[in-house]
Amino acid sequence: MSSELPPQIQNQLAQLQQIQQQAQALAVQKNQIEINLKETELALGELEKLDDNAVVYRAIGDLLIKTEREKTKNALIEKKDTLSLRAETIARQEERIQKRFQQLQEQLKQAIGSPVAK
């Protein structure tokens, strides 16, 4: 069937498939960031419950390293901010991809709906 389609329509279909793949990849990234963000927020919440002089350990690879509560808190806040910014960026990318997907879909509908000139 694809050999019967004009090259322009074949190209648009290929672009549509590529955009779908990009959207799926973004969805995976977004999910990973959301999970990481929730874990970071949970860690911050637990850290807030501790006394100022509580002993805190931080996982670095396979090791647990003793650290200061305030340093860990600041690192988690920075990580949370970075993840939030990344989540916003991905949301904007998703919007752009969705708009492009809809444009291509509309172009394809119009191209397929119109008679093919030979």
Side-chain angles (χ1 to χ4, degrees):
M1 180 181 159
S2 63
S3 62
E4 298 171 10
L5 294 174
Q8 180 183 357
I9 292 177
Q10 289 179 17
N11 185 33
Q12 288 175 331
L13 283 171
Q15 287 179 15
L16 201 61
Q17 289 174 338
Q18 185 179 23
I19 287 173
Q20 283 178 319
Q21 290 171 350
Q22 289 173 352
Q24 289 171 348
L26 278 177
V28 169
Q29 286 180 25
K30 182 180 178 181
N31 189 37
Q32 291 171 338
I33 287 171
E34 287 173 350
I35 289 169
N36 209 338
L37 189 56
K38 286 180 184 181
E39 288 175 351
T40 302
E41 289 171 347
L42 180 63
L44 265 171
E46 291 300 316
L47 200 58
E48 288 294 327
K49 295 176 186 176
L50 297 176
D51 293 332
D52 289 341
N53 58 354
V55 177
V56 176
Y57 293 90
R58 186 162 185 213
I60 300 177
D62 291 337
L63 301 175
L64 288 177
I65 306 294
K66 187 175 180 179
T67 184
E68 296 174 17
R69 178 184 172 274
E70 200 60 32
K71 280 185 180 179
T72 301
K73 180 181 173 184
N74 290 339
L76 287 172
I77 289 171
E78 186 176 324
K79 181 178 180 180
K80 179 184 171 187
D81 292 344
T82 301
L83 288 169
S84 295
L85 184 61
R86 183 70 182 128
E88 290 173 17
T89 302
I90 286 180
R92 286 193 300 271
Q93 287 175 329
E94 282 182 320
E95 283 180 33
R96 284 195 302 269
I97 284 180
Q98 183 63 30
K99 286 178 185 175
R100 180 67 180 137
F101 182 83
Q102 289 172 347
Q103 288 173 345
L104 274 174
Q105 209 172 27
E106 190 59 38
Q107 289 174 1
L108 273 171
K109 285 179 186 177
Q110 290 175 0
I112 292 172
S114 64
V116 177
K118 287 191 177 182

